[in-house]
Amino acid sequence: MNQQITPESTGVEKKLRILSGIQPSGTPTLGNYIGAMRNWKLLADEYDCLYMIADLHSITVRQDPSKLRQQSIQLFALLLAIGLDPEKNVLFFQSHVPQHTQLSWVLNCFTYMGEMSRMTQFKDKSAKHSDNINCGLFTYPVLMASDILLYQANLVPVGADQTQHLEICRDIATRFNGIYGNVFTVPEGYYPKFGARVMSLQDPARKMSKSDPDDCFISMLDSADNIRRKIKRAVTDSDAEIRFDPENKPGVSNLLAIQSALTGDSLDSVVSSYEGKGYGVLKSTLTDVIINTLSPIQNEFNRYMNDRAYLENVWRNGADHASYLANKTLSKVMKKVGFIAK
Ligand code: TRP
């Protein structure tokens, strides 16, 4: 038998493929780390993984170019710093792989205005940036669908805020396949086993977000002093009992959940470790846990940031690999819709 050796056929059995993306808009928070990024590392052996910095998506709201550049490089270095091995994962910048925008144009012609105007994120973002409701913001989910469909991804790890976009991606793929035959794999959402939802430190009814004021979140690059200060100021409540009860004690429960997520200890055992103790002990213990988690990542981060040549090498290889895979899908699509081969 003549087996062709290609970058994606090195395993005996074909693994399921995972693709996810993260926007370079600010430094990721502890919430992004717990809810998304750290799970990515656990998937590398079982799946064929591609992770992309979604820089094209980030200009749907106005960005300062030098900040965008800085944040993009930092985010790339952070992916390596959390332990994503570039030999096992394809790590790349979306803007380095032109097939994303090419496929996006085609898929725009298979997506309806009505579908896009129903997207809750579009409604939210256009309310927030009412001076800049641009067409890119409107068709953002089509670009995201292109990111996923280009690689024939089977599974897409996404947070709750992206499930509607994943649903529309499935609709677009199914519609296209219905017209042209089986061109795209219709992807499923991937919901990690260890996904705790981390809430704001000041308003624990809301998700921790980097667009909130600084003391609401912990950034992955916060100094130990900042972490200590922010946890100290985190909202609790006036009855001094430490128990997990998100409804009545959202602030304390959030702190307990963070500790459980970072240590891997069950919530029950975290709670019982505080029997007879007060909020002060909870806060100082949790502060140590967070610092112990983030400081090795920050050391690695600094090492990568000081080795620009290495970073460039990794992102170029990532772009080449991604582009090779993307081209296969794109050329099929171009042929199917009736474009002339070059
Ligand atoms: N839109 C996603 C977010 O803001 C990022 C993203 C872009 C993405 N393309 C993707 C996520 C493809 C998953 C798959 O979080």
Side-chain angles (χ1 to χ4, degrees), residues 19-23 52 54 57 140 144 147-148 156-158 162:
L19 176 127
S20 200
I22 181 166
Q23 291 196 45
M52 159 193 101
H57 275 103
Y140 170 120
M144 181 162 156
D147 300 336
I148 298 165
V156 183
V158 282
Q162 298 295 321

Side-chain angles (χ1 to χ4, degrees), residues 48-60:
D48 179 12
C49 302
L50 295 105
Y51 297 113
M52 159 193 101
I53 312 274
D55 49 2
L56 298 175
H57 275 103
S58 66
I59 64 161
T60 53

